Amino acid sequence: MATRDTHQEHLGHVVFITAAAAIGGFLFGYDSSVINGAVVGIQKHFAVGPVEIGIVVAIALLGSAVGAWTGGRLADRWGRTRTMQVAAALFAISSIGQMLPFTVYDLALWRVLAGVAIGMASVLGPAYIAEVAPPAYRGRLGSFQQLAIVLGIAVSQLVNYVIARLAGGDVNNPLWGLEAWQWMLGACVVPALLYWLFAANIPESPRYLVMAGRDQQARKVLAEVEGAGVDLDVRLREIHQVLRTEEKPTLRDLRGSALGLLPIVWVGIILSVFQQFVGINVIFYYSSVLWQSVGITQANSLLISFSSSVINIIGTFIAIALVDRIGRKPLLLIGSAGMAVSLATAAWAFSAAETVNGSPQLPSPQGPIALVAANAFVLFFALSWGVVVWVLLGEMFPNRIRAAALGVAASAQWIANWAITVTFPVLSEWNLPLTYAMYAGFAVLSFLFVTRWVRETKGRRLEEMG
């Protein structure tokens, strides 16, 4: 009985520190999607057009690329938990800056700073969790990061809806001395401060402590996270051995005959690009604008955005449950087929929009069909490409190039995300149905690509990849 109680206490401690680190993922999801509710307010407040609003929304993604690139290096120099505190501080400062902008230009700069924090959080959480989680629980604890991201997206949409309702349903209405959209952007300071507080109180990664020559502290942390039955001397020797023999891959190691890169690297890049080119982040960044463009009120459009976020969470749980059972490739194919059908259906429904008394409206039955199709798209993405691409990117590359190849693929994903996000306002104003038809076309292409080029990695050891 005492042994079981000790085991449960130990596991509870590991779950706590893992969840604390995953708050960075929550902020990642929250801060990247909170702009959804504020887009209309920003556009009206600063009297800007679709080009400017697209830049303001998408520019954070360029900051994210910088944050992802520098976050790992800072974590190796300053430590994982201290770098988390820096990211939390950047989150808090940028939230206040976005809440109180003077012009659309300084708002864009604050968005860049928020993006840097997002990029840092996107690498800090998974790295820390992998380094403190016991091997027996690493897979399940590692899923905390993705779960935290989708929870952050959902909570941001719920907060946006509540703030809009408090302001009478219009995000440009005054609320406590500011316009409602400003409170939406400023609310992120609360979870940012919580992230800082938890990061200041969780133990440092034992791997970093060994790198820094602090073996006694590393021994103490290993005892806390791996339990009393672990031979700490053996574990410390293992970490020292890995650090001595570890050779960090460079971009030069990725060179090959296929357009300058190894074929497997191109597979990773194209997977990352397709994950974004199906238009998923249009839903999370612009869905309130999308639904208002076809006649839905502001408050109801934010409620729809929240429901889509809940569906995103459900789909993520489905993916976690199935990815090791039916495999990576079947899930991707199911997702691509489902996204293609649902996006094509949404494009057809949006084509029926008509102007009534000067306002756009979707007639029946196209209105309900568009809503179902959009949420079906989110579900099929979440149960497949949302989770599986990250699983594949962590598995598919040979050991000697894994880190460098993953960095290139992740960078391609940020750039593709930026391209879709910055172009949607202009494309949707030009022709919304054709824009969604284009995303459906990318879903079809993704199905063909997976069928031809993606190999199944289920059940294979990492050493077998090549």
Side-chain angles (χ1 to χ4, degrees), residues 355-429:
T355 301
V356 178
N357 298 324
S359 299
Q361 287 188 5
L362 270 182
S364 184
Q366 283 87 349
I369 289 174
L371 181 57
V372 171
N375 282 328
F377 165 54
V378 172
L379 178 64
F380 278 111
F381 177 87
L383 65 81
S384 58
W385 286 75
V387 171
V388 176
V389 167
W390 286 110
V391 172
L392 277 174
L393 292 179
E395 295 176 335
M396 62 187 287
F397 302 116
N399 282 336
R400 64 183 179 82
I401 65 166
R402 181 168 293 115
L406 182 53
V408 170
S411 297
Q413 194 170 120
W414 285 116
I415 294 169
N417 189 347
W418 172 82
I420 289 294
T421 305
V422 78
T423 56
F424 177 76
V426 174
L427 289 175
S428 62
E429 189 169 275

Coordinates of all heavy atoms in Angstrom, one line a residue, residues 355-429:
T355 N -27.6 39.5 -51.0 CA -27.7 40.8 -50.2 C -29.2 41.1 -50.0 O -29.9 41.2 -51.0 CB -27.0 41.9 -51.0 OG1 -25.6 41.6 -51.1 CG2 -27.1 43.2 -50.2
V356 N -29.6 41.2 -48.8 CA -31.0 41.6 -48.4 C -31.0 42.8 -47.6 O -30.3 42.8 -46.5 CB -31.6 40.4 -47.7 CG1 -33.1 40.8 -47.3 CG2 -31.6 39.1 -48.5
N357 N -31.6 43.9 -48.1 CA -31.6 45.2 -47.4 C -30.2 45.7 -47.0 O -30.0 46.2 -46.0 CB -32.4 45.1 -46.1 CG -33.9 44.7 -46.4 OD1 -34.5 45.2 -47.4 ND2 -34.5 44.0 -45.5
G358 N -29.3 45.5 -48.0 CA -28.0 46.0 -47.8 C -27.0 45.1 -47.0 O -25.9 45.4 -46.8
S359 N -27.5 44.0 -46.5 CA -26.7 43.1 -45.6 C -26.6 41.7 -46.3 O -27.6 41.2 -46.8 CB -27.3 43.0 -44.2 OG -27.4 44.2 -43.6
P360 N -25.5 41.0 -46.2 CA -25.3 39.7 -46.7 C -26.1 38.7 -45.9 O -26.2 38.8 -44.7 CB -23.8 39.4 -46.7 CG -23.4 40.3 -45.5 CD -24.2 41.5 -45.5
Q361 N -26.7 37.7 -46.5 CA -27.4 36.6 -45.9 C -27.2 35.3 -46.6 O -27.1 35.3 -47.8 CB -28.9 36.9 -45.7 CG -29.2 38.0 -44.7 CD -30.7 38.1 -44.5 OE1 -31.5 37.3 -45.0 NE2 -31.1 39.1 -43.7
L362 N -27.2 34.2 -45.9 CA -27.2 32.9 -46.5 C -28.6 32.3 -46.4 O -29.1 32.2 -45.3 CB -26.2 31.9 -45.8 CG -24.8 31.8 -46.3 CD1 -24.0 30.8 -45.4 CD2 -24.7 31.5 -47.7
P363 N -29.2 32.0 -47.5 CA -30.6 31.4 -47.4 C -30.6 30.0 -46.9 O -29.5 29.4 -46.8 CB -31.0 31.5 -48.9 CG -29.7 31.3 -49.7 CD -28.7 32.0 -48.9
S364 N -31.8 29.5 -46.6 CA -31.9 28.1 -46.2 C -32.1 27.3 -47.5 O -32.7 27.7 -48.4 CB -33.2 28.0 -45.3 OG -33.3 26.7 -44.8
P365 N -31.4 26.1 -47.5 CA -30.7 25.4 -46.5 C -29.2 25.6 -46.5 O -28.5 25.0 -45.7 CB -31.0 23.9 -46.8 CG -31.0 23.9 -48.3 CD -31.6 25.2 -48.8
Q366 N -28.7 26.6 -47.3 CA -27.3 26.8 -47.4 C -26.7 27.2 -46.1 O -25.5 26.9 -45.8 CB -26.9 27.7 -48.5 CG -27.0 27.2 -49.9 CD -28.4 27.2 -50.5 OE1 -29.4 27.6 -49.8 NE2 -28.5 27.0 -51.8
G367 N -27.4 28.1 -45.3 CA -26.8 28.5 -44.0 C -26.5 27.4 -43.1 O -25.3 27.3 -42.7
P368 N -27.4 26.6 -42.7 CA -27.1 25.4 -41.8 C -26.0 24.5 -42.4 O -25.2 24.0 -41.7 CB -28.4 24.7 -41.6 CG -29.5 25.8 -41.9 CD -28.9 26.7 -42.9
I369 N -26.1 24.3 -43.8 CA -25.2 23.4 -44.4 C -23.7 24.0 -44.3 O -22.8 23.2 -44.0 CB -25.5 23.2 -45.9 CG1 -26.8 22.3 -46.0 CG2 -24.4 22.5 -46.7 CD1 -27.3 22.2 -47.4
A370 N -23.6 25.3 -44.5 CA -22.3 25.9 -44.4 C -21.7 25.7 -43.0 O -20.5 25.5 -42.8 CB -22.4 27.4 -44.7
L371 N -22.6 25.9 -41.9 CA -22.1 25.7 -40.6 C -21.7 24.3 -40.3 O -20.6 24.1 -39.7 CB -23.3 26.1 -39.6 CG -23.0 26.1 -38.1 CD1 -21.8 26.9 -37.8 CD2 -24.2 26.5 -37.3
V372 N -22.5 23.3 -40.7 CA -22.1 21.9 -40.5 C -20.8 21.6 -41.3 O -19.9 20.9 -40.7 CB -23.2 21.0 -41.0 CG1 -22.8 19.5 -41.0 CG2 -24.5 21.2 -40.1
A373 N -20.7 22.1 -42.5 CA -19.5 21.8 -43.3 C -18.2 22.4 -42.7 O -17.2 21.7 -42.7 CB -19.7 22.3 -44.7
A374 N -18.3 23.6 -42.2 CA -17.2 24.2 -41.6 C -16.7 23.5 -40.3 O -15.5 23.3 -40.1 CB -17.5 25.7 -41.2
N375 N -17.7 23.0 -39.5 CA -17.3 22.3 -38.3 C -16.8 20.9 -38.6 O -16.0 20.3 -38.0 CB -18.5 22.3 -37.4 CG -18.6 23.6 -36.6 OD1 -17.7 24.3 -36.3 ND2 -19.9 24.0 -36.3
A376 N -17.4 20.3 -39.7 CA -16.9 19.0 -40.2 C -15.5 19.1 -40.6 O -14.6 18.2 -40.4 CB -17.8 18.4 -41.3
F377 N -15.1 20.2 -41.3 CA -13.7 20.4 -41.7 C -12.8 20.5 -40.5 O -11.8 19.8 -40.5 CB -13.7 21.7 -42.5 CG -12.3 22.3 -42.7 CD1 -11.3 21.6 -43.3 CD2 -12.0 23.6 -42.3 CE1 -10.0 22.1 -43.4 CE2 -10.8 24.2 -42.5 CZ -9.8 23.4 -43.0
V378 N -13.2 21.2 -39.5 CA -12.4 21.3 -38.3 C -12.2 19.9 -37.6 O -11.1 19.6 -37.2 CB -13.0 22.3 -37.2 CG1 -12.3 22.2 -35.9 CG2 -13.0 23.7 -37.8
L379 N -13.3 19.1 -37.6 CA -13.2 17.8 -37.0 C -12.3 16.9 -37.7 O -11.4 16.3 -37.2 CB -14.6 17.2 -36.9 CG -14.7 15.8 -36.3 CD1 -14.2 15.8 -34.9 CD2 -16.1 15.2 -36.5
F380 N -12.4 16.9 -39.1 CA -11.5 16.0 -39.9 C -10.1 16.5 -39.8 O -9.2 15.6 -39.8 CB -12.0 16.0 -41.3 CG -13.1 15.0 -41.6 CD1 -14.4 15.5 -41.9 CD2 -12.9 13.7 -41.5 CE1 -15.5 14.6 -42.1 CE2 -14.0 12.8 -41.8 CZ -15.2 13.2 -42.1
F381 N -9.8 17.8 -39.7 CA -8.5 18.2 -39.6 C -7.9 17.8 -38.2 O -6.8 17.3 -38.1 CB -8.4 19.8 -39.7 CG -7.0 20.3 -39.5 CD1 -6.1 20.4 -40.5 CD2 -6.6 20.7 -38.2 CE1 -4.8 20.9 -40.3 CE2 -5.3 21.2 -38.0 CZ -4.4 21.3 -39.1
A382 N -8.7 18.0 -37.2 CA -8.2 17.8 -35.8 C -7.9 16.3 -35.6 O -6.9 16.0 -34.9 CB -9.2 18.3 -34.8
L383 N -8.7 15.4 -36.1 CA -8.5 14.0 -35.9 C -7.4 13.4 -36.8 O -7.1 12.2 -36.7 CB -9.8 13.2 -36.0 CG -10.5 13.1 -37.3 CD1 -9.9 12.1 -38.3 CD2 -12.0 12.8 -37.1
S384 N -6.8 14.2 -37.7 CA -5.8 13.7 -38.6 C -4.6 14.6 -38.7 O -3.7 14.5 -37.9 CB -6.5 13.5 -40.0 OG -7.0 14.7 -40.5
W385 N -4.7 15.6 -39.6 CA -3.5 16.4 -39.9 C -3.0 17.3 -38.7 O -1.8 17.6 -38.6 CB -3.8 17.3 -41.1 CG -3.8 16.5 -42.4 CD1 -4.7 15.7 -42.8 CD2 -2.7 16.5 -43.4 NE1 -4.3 15.1 -44.0 CE2 -3.1 15.6 -44.4 CE3 -1.5 17.1 -43.5 CZ2 -2.3 15.4 -45.5 CZ3 -0.7 16.9 -44.6 CH2 -1.1 16.0 -45.6
G386 N -4.0 17.6 -37.8 CA -3.6 18.5 -36.7 C -2.6 17.8 -35.8 O -1.7 18.5 -35.2
V387 N -2.8 16.5 -35.5 CA -1.9 15.8 -34.6 C -0.9 15.0 -35.4 O 0.3 14.9 -35.0 CB -2.7 14.9 -33.7 CG1 -1.8 13.9 -32.9 CG2 -3.6 15.7 -32.7
V388 N -1.3 14.3 -36.4 CA -0.5 13.3 -37.1 C 0.8 13.9 -37.7 O 1.8 13.3 -37.7 CB -1.3 12.5 -38.1 CG1 -0.4 11.5 -38.8 CG2 -2.4 11.7 -37.4
V389 N 0.6 15.1 -38.3 CA 1.8 15.7 -39.0 C 2.9 15.9 -37.9 O 4.1 15.6 -38.2 CB 1.4 17.0 -39.6 CG1 2.7 17.8 -40.0 CG2 0.6 16.7 -40.9
W390 N 2.6 16.3 -36.7 CA 3.6 16.5 -35.7 C 4.2 15.2 -35.3 O 5.4 15.1 -35.0 CB 3.1 17.3 -34.5 CG 2.9 18.8 -34.8 CD1 1.7 19.4 -35.0 CD2 3.9 19.7 -35.1 NE1 1.9 20.7 -35.3 CE2 3.3 21.0 -35.3 CE3 5.3 19.7 -35.1 CZ2 4.0 22.1 -35.6 CZ3 6.0 20.8 -35.3 CH2 5.4 22.0 -35.6
V391 N 3.4 14.2 -35.2 CA 3.9 12.8 -34.8 C 4.9 12.3 -35.9 O 6.0 11.9 -35.6 CB 2.7 11.8 -34.7 CG1 3.2 10.4 -34.5 CG2 1.8 12.2 -33.5
L392 N 4.5 12.5 -37.2 CA 5.3 12.0 -38.3 C 6.6 12.8 -38.3 O 7.7 12.2 -38.5 CB 4.6 12.2 -39.6 CG 3.6 11.1 -40.0 CD1 2.9 11.5 -41.3 CD2 4.4 9.8 -40.2
L393 N 6.6 14.1 -38.1 CA 7.8 14.9 -38.2 C 8.8 14.5 -37.1 O 10.0 14.7 -37.2 CB 7.4 16.4 -38.1 CG 6.7 17.0 -39.3 CD1 6.4 18.5 -39.0 CD2 7.5 16.9 -40.6
G394 N 8.3 14.0 -36.0 CA 9.1 13.6 -34.9 C 9.7 12.2 -35.1 O 10.7 11.8 -34.5
E395 N 9.1 11.4 -36.1 CA 9.5 10.1 -36.3 C 10.2 9.8 -37.6 O 11.0 8.9 -37.7 CB 8.2 9.2 -36.2 CG 7.5 9.1 -34.9 CD 6.3 8.3 -35.0 OE1 5.7 8.1 -36.1 OE2 5.8 7.8 -33.9
M396 N 9.8 10.5 -38.6 CA 10.1 10.0 -40.0 C 11.5 10.2 -40.5 O 12.0 9.5 -41.4 CB 9.2 10.7 -41.0 CG 9.3 12.2 -41.0 SD 8.0 13.0 -42.1 CE 8.6 12.5 -43.7
F397 N 12.3 11.1 -39.8 CA 13.6 11.4 -40.3 C 14.7 10.5 -39.6 O 14.5 10.1 -38.5 CB 14.0 12.9 -40.0 CG 13.0 13.9 -40.6 CD1 12.3 14.7 -39.8 CD2 12.9 14.0 -41.9 CE1 11.4 15.6 -40.3 CE2 12.1 14.9 -42.5 CZ 11.3 15.7 -41.7
P398 N 15.7 10.2 -40.3 CA 16.8 9.4 -39.7 C 17.4 10.1 -38.5 O 17.4 11.4 -38.5 CB 17.9 9.3 -40.8 CG 17.1 9.5 -42.1 CD 16.0 10.5 -41.7
N399 N 18.0 9.4 -37.6 CA 18.5 10.0 -36.3 C 19.5 11.1 -36.6 O 19.5 12.1 -36.0 CB 19.2 8.9 -35.5 CG 18.2 8.0 -34.7 OD1 17.0 8.5 -34.5 ND2 18.6 6.8 -34.4
R400 N 20.4 10.9 -37.6 CA 21.5 11.8 -37.8 C 21.0 13.2 -38.3 O 21.7 14.2 -38.2 CB 22.5 11.2 -38.8 CG 21.9 11.0 -40.2 CD 22.9 10.4 -41.1 NE 22.3 10.2 -42.4 CZ 22.3 11.1 -43.4 NH1 22.8 12.3 -43.1 NH2 21.7 10.8 -44.5
I401 N 19.8 13.3 -38.9 CA 19.3 14.6 -39.4 C 18.0 15.0 -38.7 O 17.5 16.1 -39.1 CB 19.1 14.6 -40.9 CG1 18.0 13.6 -41.3 CG2 20.4 14.2 -41.6 CD1 17.5 13.8 -42.7
R402 N 17.5 14.3 -37.7 CA 16.2 14.6 -37.2 C 16.0 16.0 -36.8 O 15.0 16.7 -37.2 CB 15.8 13.6 -36.1 CG 14.4 13.8 -35.5 CD 14.0 12.7 -34.6 NE 13.8 11.5 -35.4 CZ 14.5 10.4 -35.2 NH1 15.5 10.4 -34.3 NH2 14.3 9.3 -35.9
A403 N 16.9 16.5 -35.9 CA 16.7 17.9 -35.4 C 16.7 18.9 -36.5 O 15.8 19.8 -36.5 CB 17.7 18.2 -34.3
A404 N 17.7 18.9 -37.4 CA 17.8 19.9 -38.5 C 16.6 19.8 -39.4 O 16.0 20.8 -39.8 CB 19.1 19.7 -39.2
A405 N 16.2 18.5 -39.8 CA 15.1 18.4 -40.7 C 13.8 18.8 -40.1 O 12.9 19.5 -40.8 CB 15.0 16.9 -41.1
L406 N 13.6 18.5 -38.8 CA 12.4 19.0 -38.1 C 12.3 20.5 -38.1 O 11.3 21.1 -38.3 CB 12.4 18.4 -36.7 CG 11.1 18.7 -35.8 CD1 9.8 18.4 -36.6 CD2 11.2 18.0 -34.5
G407 N 13.5 21.2 -37.9 CA 13.5 22.6 -37.9 C 13.1 23.2 -39.2 O 12.4 24.2 -39.3
V408 N 13.6 22.6 -40.3 CA 13.3 23.1 -41.6 C 11.8 22.9 -41.9 O 11.1 23.8 -42.4 CB 14.1 22.4 -42.7 CG1 13.6 22.7 -44.1 CG2 15.6 22.8 -42.6
A409 N 11.3 21.7 -41.6 CA 9.9 21.5 -41.8 C 9.0 22.4 -41.0 O 7.9 22.9 -41.5 CB 9.5 20.0 -41.5
A410 N 9.3 22.7 -39.7 CA 8.6 23.6 -38.9 C 8.6 25.0 -39.4 O 7.6 25.7 -39.4 CB 9.1 23.5 -37.4
S411 N 9.8 25.4 -39.9 CA 9.9 26.7 -40.5 C 9.0 26.9 -41.7 O 8.3 27.9 -41.9 CB 11.3 27.0 -40.9 OG 12.1 27.1 -39.8
A412 N 8.9 25.8 -42.5 CA 8.1 25.8 -43.7 C 6.6 25.9 -43.3 O 5.8 26.6 -43.9 CB 8.3 24.5 -44.5
Q413 N 6.3 25.3 -42.2 CA 4.9 25.4 -41.7 C 4.5 26.8 -41.2 O 3.4 27.3 -41.5 CB 4.7 24.4 -40.5 CG 3.3 24.2 -40.1 CD 3.2 23.0 -39.1 OE1 2.7 23.2 -38.0 NE2 3.6 21.9 -39.4
W414 N 5.4 27.5 -40.5 CA 5.2 28.9 -40.2 C 5.0 29.8 -41.4 O 4.1 30.6 -41.4 CB 6.3 29.4 -39.3 CG 6.3 28.9 -37.9 CD1 7.3 28.1 -37.3 CD2 5.3 29.1 -36.9 NE1 7.0 27.9 -36.0 CE2 5.8 28.5 -35.7 CE3 4.1 29.8 -36.8 CZ2 5.0 28.5 -34.5 CZ3 3.4 29.8 -35.6 CH2 3.8 29.1 -34.5
I415 N 5.9 29.6 -42.4 CA 5.8 30.4 -43.6 C 4.5 30.1 -44.4 O 3.8 31.1 -44.8 CB 7.0 30.1 -44.5 CG1 8.3 30.6 -43.8 CG2 6.8 30.8 -45.9 CD1 9.6 30.2 -44.5
A416 N 4.1 28.9 -44.5 CA 2.8 28.5 -45.1 C 1.6 29.1 -44.4 O 0.7 29.6 -45.0 CB 2.7 27.0 -45.3
N417 N 1.7 29.0 -43.1 CA 0.7 29.6 -42.2 C 0.5 31.1 -42.5 O -0.6 31.6 -42.6 CB 1.0 29.3 -40.7 CG -0.1 29.7 -39.8 OD1 -1.1 30.4 -40.1 ND2 0.0 29.2 -38.5
W418 N 1.7 31.8 -42.5 CA 1.7 33.2 -42.8 C 1.1 33.5 -44.2 O 0.3 34.4 -44.3 CB 3.1 33.7 -42.7 CG 3.3 35.1 -43.2 CD1 3.0 36.3 -42.5 CD2 3.6 35.6 -44.5 NE1 3.2 37.4 -43.2 CE2 3.6 37.0 -44.5 CE3 4.0 34.9 -45.7 CZ2 3.9 37.8 -45.6 CZ3 4.3 35.7 -46.8 CH2 4.3 37.1 -46.7
A419 N 1.5 32.7 -45.2 CA 1.0 33.0 -46.5 C -0.6 32.8 -46.6 O -1.3 33.7 -47.2 CB 1.6 32.0 -47.5
I420 N -1.1 31.8 -46.0 CA -2.6 31.6 -46.0 C -3.3 32.8 -45.2 O -4.3 33.3 -45.6 CB -3.0 30.3 -45.4 CG1 -2.6 29.1 -46.4 CG2 -4.4 30.2 -45.1 CD1 -3.3 29.1 -47.7
T421 N -2.7 33.1 -44.1 CA -3.3 34.1 -43.2 C -3.3 35.5 -43.8 O -4.3 36.2 -43.7 CB -2.6 34.1 -41.8 OG1 -2.6 32.8 -41.3 CG2 -3.3 35.1 -40.8
V422 N -2.2 35.9 -44.4 CA -2.1 37.2 -45.0 C -2.9 37.4 -46.3 O -3.4 38.5 -46.6 CB -0.6 37.6 -45.2 CG1 -0.1 37.0 -46.5 CG2 -0.4 39.1 -45.3
T423 N -3.2 36.3 -47.0 CA -3.9 36.4 -48.2 C -5.4 36.2 -48.1 O -6.2 36.7 -48.9 CB -3.4 35.4 -49.2 OG1 -3.6 34.0 -48.7 CG2 -2.0 35.6 -49.6
F424 N -5.9 35.6 -47.0 CA -7.3 35.3 -46.9 C -8.2 36.6 -47.0 O -9.3 36.5 -47.7 CB -7.7 34.6 -45.6 CG -9.1 34.3 -45.4 CD1 -9.8 33.3 -46.2 CD2 -9.9 35.0 -44.5 CE1 -11.1 33.1 -46.1 CE2 -11.3 34.8 -44.4 CZ -11.9 33.8 -45.2
P425 N -8.0 37.7 -46.3 CA -8.9 38.8 -46.3 C -9.1 39.3 -47.8 O -10.2 39.6 -48.2 CB -8.2 39.9 -45.5 CG -7.4 39.1 -44.5 CD -6.9 37.9 -45.3
V426 N -8.0 39.4 -48.6 CA -8.1 39.9 -49.9 C -8.8 38.8 -50.8 O -9.7 39.2 -51.6 CB -6.7 40.2 -50.5 CG1 -6.8 40.5 -52.0 CG2 -6.0 41.3 -49.7
L427 N -8.5 37.6 -50.7 CA -9.1 36.5 -51.5 C -10.6 36.4 -51.1 O -11.4 36.2 -52.0 CB -8.4 35.2 -51.2 CG -7.0 35.0 -51.8 CD1 -6.4 33.7 -51.3 CD2 -7.0 35.1 -53.3
S428 N -11.0 36.5 -49.9 CA -12.4 36.3 -49.5 C -13.2 37.5 -50.0 O -14.4 37.3 -50.3 CB -12.5 36.1 -48.0 OG -12.0 37.3 -47.3
E429 N -12.6 38.7 -50.0 CA -13.3 39.8 -50.5 C -13.5 39.7 -52.0 O -14.5 40.2 -52.5 CB -12.6 41.1 -50.1 CG -13.4 42.4 -50.4 CD -12.8 43.6 -49.8 OE1 -13.0 43.9 -48.7 OE2 -12.0 44.3 -50.6

